[in-house]
Amino acid sequence: MNWISKTRGIAILAVLMIHVNTPLLYESQSSVWWLGHIFDSLSRLAVPLFLMISGALLLHKEEPVGFYIEKRAAKIFIPFIVWSVIYFICKLSGEFNVKLFIQQFLSGKIYYHLWYFYILIPLYIFIPFLRRFVKYIPSSYIIIYALISSGVSTINDVIGIYGLNMQVFSNPFSVGVSYLLLGYIIARREYELKYYQLYGAVSFLIILLGTYLITAWRGTLSQVFYDALGLPVLMYAVMVFYLCKKCLNGSTPTYKGQFLEYIGKYSFGIYLIHPLLLTLMTKFPTFSISASTGSPYIMMPVTFVVVLSCSLLFIIPLSKIPILKRIT
């Protein structure tokens, strides 16, 4: 399934685009805001793609639970701890405060991109239980479950505009499980999604226009339809994941495919280091690089390429060193 590694490349490029693009979403100039909004909407499938890839690669395996936990802990939990310490130190203004670190670590406030681990780790713990019965769940049941869980999340986001919530019915974990299961059935079963191009286009338009309308109404950026756990993003991401399976599974190598595979190979390390590089790039006024410095139409793609290139320049050498390889 070489399309999986290419899809991982698309996912990490989408993550970079979201974080590079963020300053443009708070610009008052409408044309700049639309530039940021369009690319941000296109990129909202990033985390869902990563979760579906995890489902595709892990749910079909049969291995001892102890071996699975040991392997996942080494691959996920150790880098999570190490990079949490790194980012905590980077934002320190005084001495290292162990109590403050523990408080921020447990509450998920170390650094913005690390929120992904707080969803991923509980899901990884749950995977051995899912493996026991996933083979027997009809695909239609999985799709219905995904639609309900993400639909409830979207309803909760919408009514949250009015200060209401029904969090008792809305659980990020349940939507995360949906992504794992959807990744499994799309990758591992001969399941046909009819009209997937239409559904993907409609869901993208809901994200694009829904965000614009609520933002215009409230006068401030609304991220209701940006929510990775919501129904529009779930439908959009699932359709793109299915499209990747259809279009990226060829045996004939192409430059585009090789590039995506190469980026996908280092996606975890890129994910971990790129926010640090983005921060450092704004610390030097003379050489400051960001999407909002100068013309956004030029600086947004320039910043994207610079961050991607610098991330690779750091991560590739680190991945060759046995000890440091464990955190990349």
Side-chain angles (χ1 to χ4, degrees), residues 268-280:
F268 189 49
I270 294 172
Y271 185 90
L272 290 166
I273 201 170
H274 80 271
L276 180 59
L277 298 177
L278 275 170
T279 301
L280 291 174

Side-chain angles (χ1 to χ4, degrees), residues 1 10 12 31 38 45 51 55 59 90 106 111 122 131 141 166 171 192 201 206 215 217 223 240 259 303 310:
M1 294 200 301
I10 292 173
I12 192 58
S31 61
I38 290 171
L45 44 62
L51 292 177
L59 285 182
C90 288
L106 294 178
Y111 222 75
R131 284 175 172 173
Y141 286 17
M166 53 178 190
N171 189 335
E192 290 293 326
I206 291 172
T215 296
W217 171 53
Q223 302 200 39
V240 171
F259 171 75
T303 304
C310 291

Side-chain angles (χ1 to χ4, degrees), residues 38-54:
I38 290 171
F39 279 96
D40 212 83
S41 298
L42 285 169
S43 304
R44 284 292 153 177
L45 44 62
V47 167
L49 286 183
F50 278 127
L51 292 177
M52 285 189 282
I53 288 169
S54 293

Side-chain angles (χ1 to χ4, degrees), residues 290-321:
S290 76
S292 58
T293 56
S295 170
Y297 299 96
I298 297 173
M299 292 309 300
M300 189 263 281
V302 167
T303 304
F304 179 84
V305 171
V306 170
V307 172
L308 176 60
S309 302
C310 291
S311 297
L312 288 170
L313 286 174
F314 275 95
I315 291 302
I316 293 174
L318 289 179
S319 67
K320 307 299 182 184
I321 302 171

